[in-house]
Amino acid sequence: MNGVITAIAVVKFVILLLGGGITYIAFKAYRRTGENSLRILGIGFGVITLGALLTGVANQFFSVSLARGVLINSVFVALGLAVIMYSLHIQK
């Protein structure tokens, strides 16, 4: 089980790096263009990334069960994807 916990921590760290990078790039593009959909896109990826971070921390440091952590993370992913979908449909 120790190997699984280590693998989860590594994957959560990779999600944090990649999600943070995408969020940063989206906000940078928003500042450059002023396009509101890019700002909302960044928020969506930020929600997904925040969910991964919070559930990883909750699981590692606050003894939240793996099943509950997966549920919470899934809620964040669903919310983030809904925001991303919205960002792709709004018009200027």
Side-chain angles (χ1 to χ4, degrees):
M1 188 67 144
N2 241 358
V4 172
I5 292 172
T6 302
I8 290 170
V10 168
V11 171
K12 291 288 186 180
F13 181 71
V14 170
I15 290 170
L16 179 63
L17 291 178
L18 294 174
I22 293 169
T23 302
Y24 172 75
I25 291 168
F27 277 122
K28 189 174 171 183
Y30 163 69
R31 283 193 312 258
R32 188 178 69 245
T33 65
E35 191 66 37
N36 193 39
S37 62
L38 290 171
R39 181 180 65 88
I40 296 171
L41 180 72
I43 291 169
F45 277 106
V47 168
I48 292 171
T49 304
L50 179 67
L53 175 67
L54 291 178
T55 56
V57 167
N59 182 261
Q60 292 296 315
F61 299 111
F62 298 110
S63 300
V64 172
S65 70
L66 184 58
R68 186 160 296 187
V70 169
L71 175 62
I72 295 167
N73 189 50
S74 296
V75 169
F76 274 95
V77 170
L79 288 173
L81 289 175
V83 171
I84 290 169
M85 180 180 266
Y86 174 74
S87 79
L88 297 174
H89 288 296
I90 65 169
Q91 296 180 9
K92 193 172 184 179

